[in-house]
Amino acid sequence: MNNGLIIVNVIVFLLLIGVLIIMQKKHISFSKRVFTGLGLGIVFGYVLHVIYGADSDVISKTIDWLSILGSGYVKLLQMVVMPLVFISIVGAFTRLKITKNLGKISFLVIGLLLFTTGISAAIGIGSTIGFGLDGIQLTEGDAEASRNAELVDRVVQVEGMTIPQQILQMIPNNPFADLTGARPTSTIAVVIFAAFIGVAFLGIKRKQPEEAELFAKIINSLYAIIMRVVTLVLRLTPYGILALITKVAATSNYEAIVNLGTFVIASYVALILMFIVHLIMLSMAKLSPVLYLKKAMPTLTFAFTSRSSAGTLPLNIKSQTKDFGVSEGIANFAGPFSLTIGQNGCAGIYPAMLAVMVAPTVGIDPLNPSFILSLILVVMISSFGVAGVGGGATFASLIVLSVMGLPIEIVGLLISVEPLIDMGRTALNVSGGMTTGILTSRITGEFEEEVYQQKEIVEA
């Protein structure tokens, strides 16, 4: 009986895919197809949830089949992330324009990412205090106990480590292993390794221009090939979003969301406020926030549904260069750096909220100015090296709570609403990266405003 129901569910899903295919053949815009996939997935997933229940065998096996497309799409994007990070950073050095302002660009990208992380931490603190959230009120069920048990290994990695020791963890000792994503800090290690290669290229360019020119041609060719692979994968975006959001809507624990509703609401209030800060910063640069919203939405929608900043990197870079007029060199800096530095949602808002919630349990007044300033500083420094994949916020929270001397158990107590909040966090992370690229490009004069002003989104 169950097999028949699963087959029916899969057939309905295939029909929804057919709708998107028809839209594509009719040359309906990419953004409209993305939002159609999002809407269809929410409705279909919720219908499955109502009919079968989130934990039913039918739902589980149906999602297994749907994951071929949903999880498969994310894996394809993750497949190109490390090569793209490496080639993007090195390629940024081989492009003549960026070498003229390399120091300024690096300073602006890292500075803006850290600055916005500090603001996001302050907003997270304010939202937590404003909603009166208190970690004492949280209770541990079976799922939470299991989650805390899983966190033990991660706690061992960070507990007792000083900030200098955490910084040392980011330095690559085996870049080839880091290219496989072997460590939580692998992404920033690859960024650092690529930066060394880039600096070496600049030295060779002065002393051995012929060899440097050959190397630049090789890197540019590799970059063109990687971006072509990215383009092929990105064409699957509407279908991937349909599958991913169907899974979220079908398997979400709505009862737990209601029970922890205040925390969820407080989190999204903080996320929205920080998103508004991004729009204000763009307005201050005399750029239309409305155009930004329209053109960034497909990328942010994928980030929201996939919960992977790293998986969204190809879309991030494409949006910066093709839709917003950011130079390739700056986009190739801002995109990869935003995976590991200054993630406004995962490394900024979330750890700050948890720290304020748990502080009263150990007798610390969360309104104490010295505590607030210390927390914001720790959040900013700890934002280095946060992995841009699902779970990065957990790692960031463990680091911040450990450095501040606060209990880490609260991280596991929120497992039931973690996926829902992580969707918003990831979208904010990606928005922070794109905003940083746009502002850096604007400030350095390597910005094509006519591209930004175009109302249509460039197809992948």
Side-chain angles (χ1 to χ4, degrees):
M1 179 63 178
N2 281 356
N3 288 338
L5 294 173
I6 294 166
I7 291 171
V8 170
N9 294 338
V10 172
I11 290 173
V12 173
F13 181 72
L14 292 175
L15 291 174
L16 297 179
I17 290 177
V19 172
L20 295 176
I21 292 174
I22 292 171
M23 292 178 69
Q24 183 174 0
K25 288 185 176 180
K26 290 185 176 181
H27 303 291
I28 293 174
S29 70
F30 180 75
S31 59
K32 289 180 180 177
R33 283 185 277 128
V34 167
F35 285 117
T36 300
L38 179 67
L40 291 175
I42 291 172
V43 173
F44 182 50
Y46 186 71
V47 169
L48 292 177
H49 179 91
V50 170
I51 294 174
Y52 304 109
D55 299 322
S56 70
D57 186 56
V58 174
I59 286 285
S60 176
K61 291 183 178 178
T62 298
I63 295 302
D64 277 346
W65 283 101
L66 270 55
S67 292
I68 294 175
L69 180 57
S71 299
Y73 174 61
V74 175
K75 284 180 178 293
L76 287 175
L77 283 171
Q78 291 173 336
M79 170 186 74
V80 297
V81 165
M82 284 303 189
L84 183 58
V85 168
F86 178 76
I87 294 296
S88 294
I89 295 294
V90 177
F93 283 89
T94 62
R95 288 169 171 78
L96 182 62
K97 283 186 179 181
I98 198 169
T99 60
K100 296 177 181 178
N101 295 311
L102 184 59
K104 185 177 182 180
I105 289 169
S106 302
F107 175 80
L108 283 170
V109 167
I110 295 175
L112 282 169
L113 288 170
L114 291 180
F115 174 69
T116 53
T117 300
I119 294 176
S120 66
I123 289 175
I125 292 169
S127 181
T128 307
I129 294 172
F131 278 87
L133 298 179
D134 190 340
I136 298 175
Q137 300 169 358
L138 298 176
T139 58
E140 181 177 87
D142 293 339
E144 288 77 15
S146 175
R147 174 62 169 172
N148 275 325
E150 292 175 5
L151 289 174
V152 170
D153 290 338
R154 301 201 80 172
V155 173
V156 171
Q157 296 177 34
V158 299
E159 197 166 36
M161 290 178 61
T162 63
I163 289 178
Q165 289 171 333
Q166 292 168 23
I167 293 173
L168 281 174
Q169 288 293 313
M170 303 173 198
I171 299 175
N173 63 331
N174 185 347
F176 298 101
D178 285 321
L179 281 167
T180 68
R183 302 184 297 153
T185 55
S186 283
T187 306
I188 196 168
V190 170
V191 169
I192 292 171
F193 176 61
F196 269 98
I197 297 292
V199 171
F201 165 80
L202 296 181
I204 294 295
K205 187 177 181 180
R206 289 192 297 269
K207 299 179 180 178
Q208 298 170 274
E210 292 183 2
E211 284 79 358
E213 184 179 354
L214 175 61
F215 180 78
K217 288 181 178 179
I218 293 172
I219 292 297
N220 291 339
S221 297
L222 288 173
Y223 181 78
I225 291 170
I226 289 292
M227 289 308 295
R228 182 58 184 168
V229 173
V230 167
T231 298
L232 294 174
V233 176
L234 290 184
R235 289 176 179 172
L236 299 172
T237 300
Y239 312 103
I241 285 177
L242 170 63
L244 290 167
I245 200 63
T246 297
K247 177 181 178 180
V248 171
T251 60
S252 290
N253 186 340
Y254 293 100
E255 182 180 350
I257 292 171
V258 171
N259 291 338
L260 290 171
T262 304
F263 177 73
V264 174
I265 293 170
S267 297
Y268 270 91
V269 166
L271 292 169
I272 291 169
L273 287 174
M274 189 59 211
F275 189 72
I276 291 173
V277 170
H278 292 166
L279 300 181
I280 292 172
M281 292 172 71
L282 291 171
S283 297
M284 292 173 66
K286 298 182 179 179
L287 296 171
S288 168
V290 175
L291 273 177
Y292 173 79
L293 280 172
K294 177 182 177 180
K295 300 173 83 171
M297 202 53 69
T299 300
L300 297 179
T301 298
F302 175 74
F304 186 83
T305 53
S306 69
R307 297 169 51 205
S308 172
S309 300
T312 313
L313 178 61
L315 271 170
N316 184 332
I317 292 176
K318 176 262 177 188
S319 292
Q320 288 191 55
T321 55
K322 303 297 184 183
D323 298 321
F324 295 127
V326 177
S327 70
E328 283 193 356
I330 291 175
N332 290 333
F333 255 70
F337 269 96
S338 69
L339 295 184
T340 56
I341 299 173
Q343 292 196 341
N344 294 177
C346 289
I349 287 174
Y350 194 67
M353 291 184 70
L354 298 193
V356 172
M357 287 175 66
V358 80
T361 67
V362 291
I364 296 176
D365 179 9
L367 295 175
N368 188 314
S370 63
F371 169 77
I372 292 174
L373 291 175
S374 298
L375 177 57
I376 292 174
L377 181 61
V378 168
V379 165
M380 290 173 66
I381 296 174
S382 298
S383 72
F384 280 83
V386 175
V389 296
T394 297
F395 191 65
S397 299
L398 291 174
I399 292 174
V400 170
L401 294 174
S402 176
V403 171
M404 295 292 291
L406 299 170
I408 58 90
E409 288 77 13
I410 190 173
V411 178
L413 297 181
L414 298 166
I415 181 61
S416 56
V417 295
E418 174 79 7
L420 177 63
I421 298 172
D422 196 35
M423 295 165 77
R425 290 192 311 235
T426 307
L428 185 66
N429 294 342
V430 173
S431 177
M434 290 194 294
T435 302
T436 294
I438 293 169
L439 293 175
T440 300
S441 192
R442 180 75 159 174
I443 294 169
T444 57
E446 297 187 29
F447 183 69
E448 298 179 62
E449 188 168 353
E450 62 276 11
V451 175
Y452 187 97
Q453 298 299 338
Q454 290 174 0
K455 294 184 180 181
E456 294 302 319
I457 297 172
V458 177
E459 293 283 338

